[in-house]
Amino acid sequence: MKSITVKGREYLFNPEDNSVNVISGRKRWKQRTDFDPLINVLDENNKIKTFYFKDAEHFNCVPFENGVGYGIRADYHDWIAEGKKYQLHLRTLIWVHKTTGRLYFELIPIKEIDNIFEIRWPVPYEWKREDENSYTLFPNFMGMMIPSNWDTEICNNDYYRFCEAGANMPWYSQVDHSEGYITILETPYDCNYRYYHPAQDGPTEIFLMWKPSLGKIGYRRVVHTQFISDCDYVKVCKTYRSYVKEQGKLLTLAQKRLVNAKIDDLIGSPIIHTDIYYDVRPEAVIYDKEHPENNYRFSTFSQRKEQLRQLKESGLGKAYLHLDGWGKDGYDHLHPDILPPCEKAGGAKDFADLQNFCKENNILFALHDQYRDYYIDAETYDENNSVQCVDGTVEHECTWNGGDQSYLCQMLAPYYIARNYDSLNEMGINPDGVYLDVFSCVHLDECSNPEHTMTQKECIEFRQKSMALLAARGMIISSEVAVDSFLPYLVLCHHTPYRGARDDLKSWGIYLPLFNLVYHDCFIVPWTMRDDKNAPINENRYLDAILNGDPAYLDINADKNEIKKIEAVSSLQKELCLCEMVSHEFVNCDRSVQRTVFSNGTAVTVNYVTHEYKVERQE
């Protein structure tokens, strides 16, 4: 075993089993001996065949240096199963940077075989201590923590993918009594993660699953781990923030508003989310057969204008209107061929009139739009434009309002966007903002059509291009969930809630504002206030908005009391929006009292039992 010390930490490399242990502060981080790295392959019957690294016919591991670091290089050649040789060659590099102390794990395909389903590597660390001062962190929606002594089973059976809602930042972390680490994926585009916490008698397990890209591993997969002393979840988030900054991707709202002055009007505005035309087809999965009246809603553009007028008369200051269902056949129909604006709601004339009313009354006018769901009854639908699987098939679903659909290859999305918004411009419609539905929520697509082949990494790039295209027209860009792959292009999202309902938190762990600890001053996350349109304000969600210094949703039928209550949230958000969230803490043992502190010195304390809060400002 060879050891090297960097920044006071000792890294011990073992070429015999291709492992590394790290002594950091009072903690020795040991890779698990009961975890066998593996390759899962699909056989001719589409069933999983498993090859373990340890069963490779040839294995060679030697010391490795590259000028800036030291570690070990391992080669795994050929596996034999049922008398057949699988000529696969994988190389792994495990090495530490001699000045930064970052520990790198690299998986490199040298020679591939067909039908690789996933590769599970590197080996995770042992995790046995069971008390509340040891915990695992996941960037799941706003963020979650699983203490090692949590008495409820927690499992992500569907294996969350990075670069989507289930893992909106490409990292995970574990902290053990002030010694911790963060593992950051430098190539997160084709990777899932699995975590499992048993109800008793076992540690929290987490590991990575590298997925193929267009049927191949295809490229070098890289993660690095940073070890942190005097560590807690806040320090973990700040470590990741520093990494984003050094990548040149930390773009703050203060910087974004220099490019788009409309962001100044957005800051301190409640979000009014409403629709025009909502009609669910009977064949759609979401069609409510028990209550068919729930499948249809309709308002004209003029009716929405009058409701906004009543809000203004009731005391509403500025606001941001997010309008769904304004297209030809309403919400989630005919995309991307949604023009002209809904004729039965008043057509382009009344649509423009609604827009003009908003502009005259300090209400930002933003439209819902969609360039992934590709409806077969769209006027220009062509199956050849759809995402094509590696085997040449095209996937369909019939879940949403408009019925049968495939998925538009994202390489083509910018062309449709340019067409549609040029047409709207000719009608006198120039929205202040556009919401590109699902772009920052659903998993990334890949396409094998030779006319528009696209990897998942390229899918990100084409979605980014779509956002940039509209931002260049002076629009505020939003999407569904806060996902950091898109944050330089987005200003706000639809939601990024705490995972799970508050009455069912045992099955999710402890919620934390991990996302806001990294990105609060870069992005706006609004909070839903009502469970449904007829319910009163949910006081816990109201406090969530206060604690996080974020805006809230305002119902279009809100009364004066609700407007006044939401204006208090908006006022605080205006004060804190451009500030970094520098800390978060649980003030009492049952975590019902929480405190955040922002970079301007403001501290916000909320009590989720008494529904009270206190804002302390630095004098």
Side-chain angles (χ1 to χ4, degrees):
M1 185 175 288
K2 165 75 174 181
S3 70
I4 181 172
T5 300
V6 181
K7 291 186 174 292
R9 297 183 176 88
E10 187 176 8
Y11 300 79
L12 301 97
F13 296 92
N14 188 351
E16 292 187 6
D17 61 3
N18 192 28
S19 68
V20 60
N21 293 337
V22 180
I23 301 174
S24 176
R26 301 180 305 277
K27 173 76 175 179
R28 184 184 184 112
W29 297 96
K30 299 175 62 177
Q31 289 187 292
R32 289 171 50 183
T33 58
D34 63 340
F35 183 95
D36 291 324
L38 59 82
I39 307 108
N40 279 328
V41 178
L42 294 175
D43 66 16
E44 58 275 8
N45 297 314
N46 213 35
K47 293 186 177 181
I48 294 289
K49 185 187 295 290
T50 299
F51 300 107
Y52 293 99
F53 279 41
K54 65 182 181 182
D55 294 332
E57 187 175 21
H58 304 287
F59 166 70
N60 183 48
C61 188
V62 296
F64 162 79
E65 285 194 78
N66 62 5
V68 293
Y70 175 85
I72 47 181
R73 175 197 289 120
D75 285 278
Y76 298 86
H77 293 261
D78 304 336
W79 281 259
I80 297 175
E82 299 173 355
K84 179 181 177 181
K85 178 178 283 192
Y86 292 81
Q87 294 182 320
L88 172 65
H89 179 186
L90 297 177
R91 176 171 295 163
T92 66
L93 302 177
I94 306 175
W95 61 281
V96 60
H97 194 287
K98 291 180 180 179
T99 57
T100 67
R102 294 180 182 180
L103 182 63
Y104 288 85
F105 296 86
E106 304 185 21
L107 175 69
I108 304 168
I110 304 298
K111 184 177 181 180
E112 296 205 48
I113 58 175
D114 293 332
N115 299 320
I116 290 180
F117 178 72
E118 67 183 11
I119 298 178
R120 299 184 180 185
W121 183 86
V123 177
Y125 299 108
E126 291 181 355
W127 190 246
K128 292 183 178 179
R129 194 193 296 254
E130 295 184 2
D131 64 46
E132 63 183 9
N133 294 310
S134 302
Y135 50 82
T136 303
L137 302 171
F138 304 101
N140 185 292
F141 285 86
M142 182 55 74
M144 61 182 285
M145 169 201 288
I146 305 176
S148 59
N149 67 343
W150 200 249
D151 62 2
T152 303
E153 182 181 46
I154 303 176
C155 180
N156 67 327
N157 287 317
D158 51 352
Y159 304 118
Y160 291 126
R161 306 184 190 199
F162 290 97
C163 305
E164 63 176 62
N168 60 5
M169 297 180 284
W171 62 265
Y172 59 88
S173 173
Q174 292 185 304
V175 178
D176 183 3
H177 287 251
S178 80
E179 294 292 340
Y181 74 84
I182 179 173
T183 291
I184 299 173
L185 284 80
E186 298 196 3
T187 55
Y189 326 107
D190 302 281
C191 191
N192 293 9
Y193 72 99
R194 152 85 171 183
Y195 63 79
Y196 175 71
H197 178 84
Q200 355 176 319
D201 301 326
T204 307
E205 176 183 68
I206 181 167
F207 57 83
L208 300 176
M209 297 175 289
W210 299 105
K211 309 297 286 187
S213 173
L214 295 173
K216 301 287 185 181
I217 294 302
Y219 61 93
R220 170 175 161 264
R221 313 296 179 95
V222 183
V223 303
H224 82 256
T225 298
Q226 298 184 48
F227 297 91
I228 312 167
S229 295
D230 300 318
C231 183
D232 60 11
Y233 59 85
V234 174
K235 197 166 183 179
V236 168
C237 290
K238 298 310 176 184
T239 300
Y240 180 68
R241 180 180 169 96
S242 295
Y243 170 77
V244 175
K245 189 173 183 178
E246 73 181 37
Q247 301 301 306
K249 297 180 180 179
L250 192 77
L251 190 63
T252 66
L253 287 165
Q255 293 169 301
K256 293 176 182 178
R257 68 203 280 250
L258 296 175
V259 178
N260 188 345
K262 291 176 182 176
I263 294 174
D264 285 332
D265 294 324
L266 173 64
I267 294 172
S269 290
I271 313 299
I272 301 171
H273 186 172
T274 191
D275 54 21
I276 295 297
Y277 184 20
Y278 180 94
D279 186 22
V280 185
R281 290 188 171 180
E283 65 269 25
V285 171
I286 66 167
Y287 185 83
D288 189 343
K289 297 178 181 178
E290 300 297 322
H291 304 281
E293 67 277 8
N294 293 335
N295 298 305
Y296 183 87
R297 295 192 300 271
F298 179 75
S299 293
T300 66
F301 297 123
S302 295
Q303 287 172 327
R304 291 305 186 208
K305 184 180 77 171
E306 288 307 308
Q307 288 172 301
L308 292 173
R309 189 192 306 278
Q310 291 173 24
L311 287 176
K312 296 295 292 187
E313 292 173 353
S314 297
L316 175 67
K318 62 181 182 177
Y320 178 94
L321 175 68
H322 171 127
L323 191 66
D324 291 342
W326 55 271
K328 181 162 46 178
D329 276 5
Y331 182 75
D332 276 0
H333 279 266
L334 302 179
H335 290 287
D337 299 328
I338 56 172
L339 296 178
C342 183
E343 294 290 351
K344 64 186 286 189
K349 179 179 179 298
D350 285 358
F351 194 37
D353 187 47
L354 173 61
Q355 170 195 251
N356 294 336
F357 175 86
C358 289
K359 291 183 183 299
E360 292 165 1
N361 287 275
N362 206 16
I363 299 173
L364 292 167
F365 180 72
L367 305 180
H368 168 283
D369 212 347
Q370 165 70 261
Y371 294 92
R372 190 211 180 219
D373 293 351
Y374 190 30
Y375 288 92
I376 64 167
D377 57 353
E379 183 179 354
T380 63
Y381 181 84
D382 182 345
E383 190 100 320
N384 190 57
N385 294 336
S386 301
V387 166
Q388 187 179 104
C389 300
V390 173
D391 63 5
T393 61
V394 171
E395 291 185 354
H396 283 249
E397 68 170 303
C398 190
T399 304
W400 312 112
N401 297 32
D404 191 10
Q405 62 159 92
S406 60
Y407 308 106
L408 180 69
C409 180
Q410 305 293 259
M411 181 182 290
L412 304 174
Y415 301 107
Y416 282 97
I417 287 172
R419 180 201 68 177
N420 285 353
Y421 285 85
D422 282 347
S423 296
L424 282 171
N425 178 261
E426 292 172 1
M427 300 175 193
I429 309 296
N430 295 286
D432 299 305
V434 175
Y435 171 88
L436 294 172
D437 198 9
V438 311
F439 268 16
S440 68
C441 178
V442 299
H443 62 261
L444 303 174
D445 296 312
E446 63 178 25
C447 181
S448 63
N449 188 318
E451 293 183 14
H452 42 83
T453 305
M454 178 184 69
T455 65
Q456 291 192 164
K457 181 177 184 291
E458 290 169 333
C459 179
I460 291 177
E461 293 166 352
F462 288 121
R463 291 181 184 177
Q464 291 172 336
K465 183 177 180 180
S466 297
M467 295 170 182
L469 182 66
L470 291 169
R473 298 182 180 220
M475 299 176 199
I476 294 171
I477 309 304
S478 63
S479 192
E480 192 157 349
V481 175
V483 173
D484 82 345
S485 306
F486 303 104
L487 287 202
Y489 302 86
L490 294 175
V491 176
L492 77 158
C493 63
H494 179 58
H495 62 173
T496 293
Y498 292 126
R499 192 68 171 95
R502 285 184 177 273
D503 59 357
D504 189 31
L505 286 174
K506 293 294 289 184
S507 63
W508 293 105
I510 299 168
Y511 60 83
L512 287 171
L514 300 181
F515 182 86
N516 271 343
L517 281 165
V518 177
Y519 284 120
H520 182 269
D521 58 337
C522 301
F523 192 70
I524 296 174
V525 178
W527 295 80
T528 302
M529 293 290 103
R530 295 182 176 186
D531 294 302
D532 61 60
K533 64 180 181 179
N534 298 313
I537 286 180
N538 183 312
E539 290 298 328
N540 281 337
R541 293 179 190 165
Y542 181 82
L543 292 176
D544 288 340
I546 292 287
L547 180 70
N548 283 278
D550 286 332
Y553 281 95
L554 178 70
D555 191 83
I556 198 166
N557 293 308
D559 59 22
K560 291 182 179 180
N561 291 332
E562 184 171 341
I563 292 172
K564 185 176 180 180
K565 194 174 181 73
I566 296 300
E567 287 285 355
V569 176
S570 299
S571 177
L572 184 62
Q573 190 256 343
K574 184 175 182 179
E575 180 182 340
L576 298 177
C577 185
L578 302 181
C579 298
E580 179 183 350
M581 181 187 285
V582 297
S583 71
H584 168 274
E585 63 177 316
F586 296 106
V587 177
N588 59 350
C589 293
D590 68 1
R591 306 184 185 93
S592 62
V593 180
Q594 300 180 35
R595 180 181 295 119
T596 51
V597 179
F598 296 84
S599 57
N600 66 350
T602 299
V604 180
T605 305
V606 304
N607 187 317
Y608 285 98
V609 174
T610 64
H611 295 149
E612 297 174 313
Y613 69 89
K614 179 172 64 174
V615 179
E616 300 169 280
R617 296 172 176 87
Q618 191 174 58
E619 294 183 2

